[in-house]
Amino acid sequence: MILLFFTNLFPICYAQEIRWEPVAPGIWKGITGSPEDFDLLSAATPEPRMEAIAKLGEAAFPLDSTETLARQSDGKTYLKFPLVREEQLFGFGLNFKTVHQRGRILRLHVDHYGGVDNGRTHAPVPFYVSDRGYGIFVNSARYLDVYAGSGSRLDSKDPALARDRNTDPNWTASPYSDAVEILVPADGVEVYLFAGPTPLKAVQRFNLFNGGGPLPPRWGLGFTQRVHRLYDQAEVLAEVDEFEKRGFPLDFVGLEPGWLSKSYPNTFDWDPGRFPDPEGLVASLKKKGVGLNLWINPYVSPDADFFSELTPYYGSHTVWAGAVPDLTMQEAQRIYWQKFKKDHVDIGVSGYKIDEVDGYDRWLWPDVASFPSGLAAEQLRQTYGLLVQKQSARLYRDKNRRTYGLVRASNGGGVRFPYVLYNDYNNHKDFITALINSGFSGILWTPEARASDSAEEWLRRFQTVVFSPMAMINAWASGTKPWTYPEVASEVKAMALLRMQMMPYWYSSFARYHFEGIPPFRGMNLEPGFVEKPAGDGIRKVDLEANPYDEATKKEIKDQYMAGPSLLVAPFFAGESSREVILPEGNWYDFYDGSYAGNGEIITVTARLDQIPVFVREGGIIPLTGPRLHAPGEGETFDLEIRHYGETASSFYLYDDDGVSFAYEKGDYSWREIRVEKDENGNWNGSISRAEAGKPDHIGKVSWTFMTKP
Ligand code: GAL
């Protein structure tokens, strides 16, 4: 332990080197001071996937440990991590406007997103990843102040120059900073360091350490529609029939607050007028191949039948006059969730949309609130999203059935929960930035289609929904249906069916999230071979000396992203007639026709209504199935059309299991190798390995399409 004292004129500060101990290959834990018992990991209780982490290999400690410093004073813990010139940072949770985080000042605080990237967001995950191939996670359930390379220290090894503003044109109001500094309002904290060597590997280690991504049931990757909040049971069934009649896919339908006898706060009882026979509804939907998702917020109405039983476990303050159960307490959990189990899960409801666990300050319990566990209101605020995800997911696990739902808040530690984040913000471009950022932080985000001003905008939104973790139409308030705009109805339908055709690709991509920690949707900055400045383009170089905020303000790549192992998606937004796409190094091909698109360069693509630009990397293999209205059900066999792109032999691992249960956790799954290579006559030849005897095998006929013509 080194004690640093700077006493040139007067003591500037002191700090101690963080003591790091290895906890898994390429992962170290550092403890400083006396960490609190309650933190993000104790709330989320992830089980690290040690075997999968080991497969990523050992890695050298990625930083100079003498430059990772901490100190306690004033009841707070101060953390400092080094930065070097040109280093770029990503992460810190669900940001909507910026991808580059160097130079930013954030207060990580669970909240509804208010239009500014200031740390107040639905999932302010205290994890960042550097382009130098390491990541840092601060395991604290407190509001954290982050100076991500904005403070200039007197003791800096690479100090900012003092310039004369009178005469020096390079004078800047924001001089260079060589550190990430974080203030934790507690007497100590646990920190984790994840090695790469690439940024993607660091993210994988972070995800695997948190249990790996969720493996949704197959139906979770199909389409979902949310119906008007005051629909009754007959109207719900009629809407589902309408989808079927018009040939639009639908895997689960979501009910908004009107299913409840009282909402905001909630009884969690079915409304007897609108929903006289919930079991019958679930059964009828099931026959149609459609699941049912229920909107809730967690706050308990005085009219809820379990209200008084929970009395000892409520916080001091209400939300819309509803009581807030202290869900850190076991007895509270037991009383609370048994209602959900009995009245919803046991009758076959397939999942929840858990609303309002994020903010606003004027709605949620205030920070002056107290809770019977003795935890601070702030700690509950930072973890409530984690707690409701974990505890509701357990109801399904107990039935050996997977769920896939929606939630409005999450945090570090929640990687494995089968929930996708959403909000009401509805800015299409920023939705895509959020999708990119979700991949740096171990969370999932849906750019739901909610409302549009034009047919074109509806189509463009729909196209990005198709290439996202949850294909959700949440247009119950606007009343927009997939077919509402006749001018684009056929394009919308073709896109929806493409989503369904791509099921085998999506499912395998999620399996890699679960087993290997690779985010199914991720930013270009995690992609090997991606440079923001391919030769000859107009993207300006960042000069952090001149402006440390440059990283956050320069042209970031936030309008294109990776989907699964081999697809690059470059959406159009309403009103655009052409756009640029940066292709990483290596050959890239057009997804739709297999033609060569470019290599390590910027290309310009012209908008067409029927396509969202998608490119496939060299050797990309995309397993598709036929267009269909529902995801393959349990035990259902489906045919494959396997597409190969490019000019090189390659392989793809296709994941298969029963699609609904947790049997895969006991080894009941198969990875099948799809290989494409040329035979001795130079003709393409495809093969797929058999599933091991006794392991899942749902593949029927296989056909091959070699997309790139010689
Ligand atoms: C909002 C939520 C919407 C919708 C609505 C229902 O808070 O974000 O998606 O569910 O509540 O009242």
Side-chain angles (χ1 to χ4, degrees):
M1 202 191 315
I2 299 174
L3 194 63
L4 299 176
F5 246 102
F6 300 95
T7 49
N8 21 8
L9 283 179
F10 46 85
I12 298 169
C13 75
Y14 69 90
Q16 295 168 339
E17 190 180 323
I18 296 174
R19 285 170 289 121
W20 297 99
E21 49 164 300
V23 290
I27 305 179
W28 294 264
K29 175 160 107 174
I31 294 182
T32 171
S34 316
E36 298 181 287
D37 290 337
F38 185 78
D39 53 34
L40 295 176
L41 295 184
S42 66
T45 57
E47 285 172 30
R49 299 183 60 84
M50 295 304 265
E51 251 177 64
I53 296 169
K55 278 199 197 140
L56 293 176
E58 294 290 340
F61 191 84
L63 293 172
D64 174 351
S65 66
T66 64
E67 292 197 45
T68 65
L69 301 174
R71 111 182 116 88
Q72 278 72 40
S73 74
D74 187 28
K76 300 189 177 87
T77 296
Y78 157 86
L79 300 169
K80 174 178 178 280
F81 305 106
L83 286 176
V84 297
R85 302 235 165 205
E86 305 285 313
E87 184 170 359
Q88 295 179 351
L89 304 179
F90 307 96
F92 293 119
L94 196 64
N95 289 297
F96 285 80
K97 292 198 180 285
T98 51
V99 172
H100 290 253
Q101 300 302 326
R102 184 165 182 170
R104 305 195 60 78
I105 299 171
L106 303 166
R107 166 161 273 215
L108 302 182
H109 183 313
V110 170
D111 201 353
H112 118 100
Y113 179 69
V116 189
D117 283 9
N118 57 10
R120 279 192 177 239
T121 182
H122 308 269
V125 182
F127 172 70
Y128 68 92
V129 59
S130 157
D131 68 341
R132 294 172 60 82
Y134 67 88
I136 287 182
F137 172 57
V138 181
N139 178 23
S140 166
R142 295 282 178 182
Y143 306 145
L144 305 180
D145 287 311
V146 175
Y147 302 84
S150 65
S152 298
R153 299 180 55 96
L154 197 53
D155 63 357
S156 169
K157 280 195 176 162
D158 184 8
L161 293 180
R163 295 176 187 269
D164 175 19
R165 187 167 177 237
N166 293 339
T167 55
D168 188 341
N170 290 327
W171 181 91
T172 162
S174 318
Y176 181 73
S177 163
D178 69 349
V180 174
E181 295 174 287
I182 300 175
L183 204 56
V184 182
D187 279 328
V189 72
E190 221 179 65
V191 208
Y192 289 86
L193 177 58
F194 300 86
T198 61
L200 179 59
K201 284 251 161 65
V203 168
Q204 285 178 259
R205 284 185 213 270
F206 171 75
N207 287 341
L208 291 170
F209 189 70
N210 284 293
L215 183 60
R218 282 197 211 268
W219 58 257
L221 300 177
F223 258 89
T224 179
Q225 157 85 345
R226 304 202 69 84
V227 297
H228 190 273
R229 72 186 172 91
L230 291 178
Y231 266 14
D232 64 19
Q233 173 164 341
E235 288 166 312
V236 174
L237 287 169
E239 179 128 326
V240 168
D241 287 344
E242 187 76 9
F243 267 70
E244 171 109 42
K245 202 176 85 208
R246 291 178 181 263
F248 277 84
L250 186 63
D251 268 294
F252 58 111
V253 66
L255 305 185
E256 289 292 321
W259 71 270
L260 291 152
S261 61
K262 286 190 178 170
S263 73
Y264 290 83
N266 308 299
T267 53
F268 306 100
D269 279 329
W270 294 88
D271 182 73
R274 285 183 292 272
F275 291 87
D277 177 19
E279 289 195 66
L281 172 66
V282 172
S284 311
L285 287 171
K286 196 172 176 198
K287 266 196 224 124
K288 297 172 193 289
V290 174
L292 187 66
N293 174 290
L294 296 183
W295 174 98
I296 59 155
N297 67 43
Y299 312 116
V300 187
S301 160
D303 294 327
D305 55 18
F306 60 104
F307 182 86
S308 22
E309 210 188 333
L310 260 180
T311 302
Y313 306 103
Y314 291 135
S316 58
H317 288 64
T318 62
V319 179
W320 300 296
V324 181
D326 186 335
L327 291 177
T328 65
M329 300 178 78
Q330 280 204 351
E331 191 52 13
Q333 294 170 23
R334 191 190 61 76
I335 300 166
Y336 187 73
W337 294 107
Q338 72 182 4
K339 171 78 176 170
F340 293 74
K341 172 176 158 31
K342 180 167 68 64
D343 289 359
H344 320 145
V345 180
D346 282 354
I347 69 164
V349 166
S350 59
Y352 292 99
K353 167 178 174 179
I354 309 179
D355 209 17
E356 317 291 7
V357 283
D358 45 347
Y360 300 64
D361 283 357
R362 65 178 182 279
W363 290 347
L364 238 58
W365 59 89
D367 285 349
V368 295
S370 58
F371 283 86
S373 59
L375 291 169
E378 169 185 0
Q379 292 169 302
L380 267 292
R381 176 84 173 251
Q382 293 295 73
T383 57
Y384 216 75
L386 292 174
L387 297 169
V388 292
Q389 289 180 76
K390 175 171 126 176
Q391 294 166 21
S392 57
R394 200 186 289 145
L395 300 176
Y396 286 92
R397 175 169 282 278
D398 289 348
K399 296 192 98 64
N400 193 24
R401 247 167 59 204
R402 283 182 242 165
T403 184
Y404 196 49
L406 291 146
V407 72
R408 257 180 72 148
S410 194
N411 211 328
V415 177
R416 79 185 186 287
F417 298 139
Y419 283 92
V420 180
L421 288 147
Y422 68 97
N423 71 359
D424 290 349
Y425 172 62
N426 213 30
N427 179 311
H428 192 196
K429 282 191 177 166
D430 292 357
F431 270 12
I432 301 309
T433 306
L435 182 59
I436 288 168
N437 281 327
S438 66
F440 294 115
S441 292
I443 48 182
L444 296 168
W445 163 258
T446 174
E448 63 179 45
R450 176 173 268 258
S452 309
D453 292 333
S454 67
E456 186 204 2
E457 186 190 336
W458 181 246
L459 175 65
R460 292 308 185 206
R461 286 182 178 276
F462 211 89
Q463 288 171 336
T464 51
V465 156
V466 162
F467 286 86
S468 84
M470 186 181 278
M472 174 161 66
I473 312 152
N474 184 27
W476 62 266
S478 70
T480 320
K481 312 280 184 225
W483 51 83
T484 289
Y485 296 99
E487 330 66 307
V488 296
S490 68
E491 285 85 357
V492 166
K493 187 166 168 177
M495 270 333 279
L497 291 170
L498 176 63
R499 166 80 180 196
M500 302 307 288
Q501 283 182 269
M502 292 177 72
M503 276 288 171
Y505 181 76
W506 298 132
Y507 201 53
S508 294
S509 301
F510 271 88
R512 294 188 69 177
Y513 190 28
H514 177 72
F515 288 97
E516 297 169 38
I518 300 174
F521 297 90
R522 55 196 186 279
M524 300 311 301
N525 299 87
L526 289 180
E527 218 37 41
F530 176 73
V531 272
E532 288 181 3
K533 203 179 174 315
D537 79 7
I539 298 176
R540 71 191 168 79
K541 191 148 169 50
V542 178
D543 184 351
L544 291 177
E545 170 66 38
N547 178 6
Y549 301 103
D550 221 11
E551 286 293 356
T553 54
K554 73 168 194 156
K555 183 178 183 313
E556 303 170 291
I557 306 309
K558 52 185 185 179
D559 60 356
Q560 63 177 75
Y561 59 94
M562 297 298 299
S566 15
L567 297 182
L568 188 164
V569 183
F572 273 106
F573 302 101
E576 292 179 350
S577 54
S578 73
R579 62 158 292 166
E580 291 188 336
V581 182
I582 305 180
L583 298 174
E585 282 160 23
N587 292 338
W588 291 83
Y589 300 88
D590 182 274
F591 171 71
Y592 302 93
D593 67 13
S595 61
Y596 175 77
N599 177 341
E601 61 189 293
I602 297 185
I603 59 166
T604 301
V605 291
T606 309
R608 339 183 349 172
L609 271 189
D610 61 337
Q611 289 182 0
I612 170 174
V614 179
F615 302 93
V616 189
R617 75 162 91 250
E618 177 65 54
I621 290 176
I622 314 294
L624 306 176
T625 186
R628 50 191 303 144
L629 299 188
H630 310 288
E634 184 172 7
E636 188 182 332
T637 294
F638 51 92
D639 296 341
L640 284 186
E641 181 214 333
I642 300 177
R643 294 191 186 170
H644 172 268
Y645 291 79
E647 286 153 7
T648 50
S650 57
S651 53
F652 179 95
Y653 287 88
L654 182 79
Y655 178 76
D656 194 7
D657 65 12
D658 68 16
V660 291
S661 83
F662 289 94
Y664 67 92
E665 289 185 348
K666 303 196 174 80
D668 214 2
Y669 60 81
S670 32
W671 286 103
R672 298 178 58 176
E673 189 184 5
I674 298 175
R675 278 203 65 76
V676 173
E677 51 209 333
K678 283 195 169 152
D679 64 17
E680 54 283 11
N681 302 321
N683 296 320
W684 284 119
N685 191 24
S687 63
I688 176 165
S689 67
R690 285 175 190 282
E692 271 175 60
K695 297 283 178 177
D697 177 4
H698 298 102
I699 307 304
K701 283 198 223 87
V702 179
S703 62
W704 302 86
T705 312
F706 305 105
M707 294 294 292
T708 304
K709 306 293 170 249

